[in-house]
Amino acid sequence: VGGLPRGAPELEALTCDMDAFRQLVASEAPSWRQRKRCHKLLADVGRVLQAAQEKLVKLETLEPSEQLLFDELVAEDLAAKARWLQGEIKAMVEAGSLTAAERDEVIAQAEAAADAAEEERGTAEAAGRAKAAAKLVLKRDACRERAEAARAAAGVDRRLRDGGRIRSLYARLAPLKALQDTKGRLLSLEETRRLEAIPEIEEMIAHLAEQSRGWFTTDDELALLVAKERRAAAGGPARKASAP
């Protein structure tokens, strides 16, 4: 679809069937942010398909990119995935299954939505639209309740799927790095040979990290998760890097 490489999260999310989608979301998109980004993809592509359908009804010619999506995807399938995923996202918020950074994001979004609903309520009330104002009160209160629920949540600690192996590699790497930084004396031949393992270990860490990335994880988020495992290997506070 659209030139996406095989195995790309976007391609898998758009083209797999519903049963596979549920399984992939559970294994490849366990976090709230990952699922929000996946939902946005489904909604965005769904809107493109809807616009393409409307063009065809008017006997208008589709753009090549629109035609490609229209030929390979089914709008109803995307809508079903989006509805199911929205329910999963809502359940995560209600259960408090959010990292500290995700919790802050949910609170900010909910409070902004509550403020917007309150402003609209005032406008509706001033215009004498009592029913609309009453609905907006319900919306405002629901947003405030969502913010409070998120604020009260204990939160979760997101870790990489191969975090244990990455920690083990960092534990092997640390003494080699310390040896590499030795000053004031020449290293022995044996010590020099030991340092030859550093590039291979670092390459293995990078490979495992990428293998654990999952869907819709940014490079910055992945770096924070890897740093968390490095600190854990050193006996430091692993939770410090819980931003993703």
Side-chain angles (χ1 to χ4, degrees), residues 224-238:
L224 284 171
L225 291 166
V226 172
K228 183 190 300 186
E229 304 302 345
R230 183 178 66 247
R231 277 194 294 275

Side-chain angles (χ1 to χ4, degrees), residues 130-168:
K131 288 185 178 180
K135 289 181 180 179
L136 288 163
V137 167
L138 294 176
K139 180 180 179 181
R140 178 202 64 194
D141 292 348
C143 291
R144 288 176 177 172
E145 288 174 6
R146 186 162 66 249
E148 288 306 311
R151 190 174 283 109
V156 297
D157 185 29
R158 182 184 172 195
R159 305 300 288 264
L160 290 172
R161 183 168 49 215
D162 287 316
R165 296 170 68 187
I166 291 172
R167 287 195 301 277
S168 296

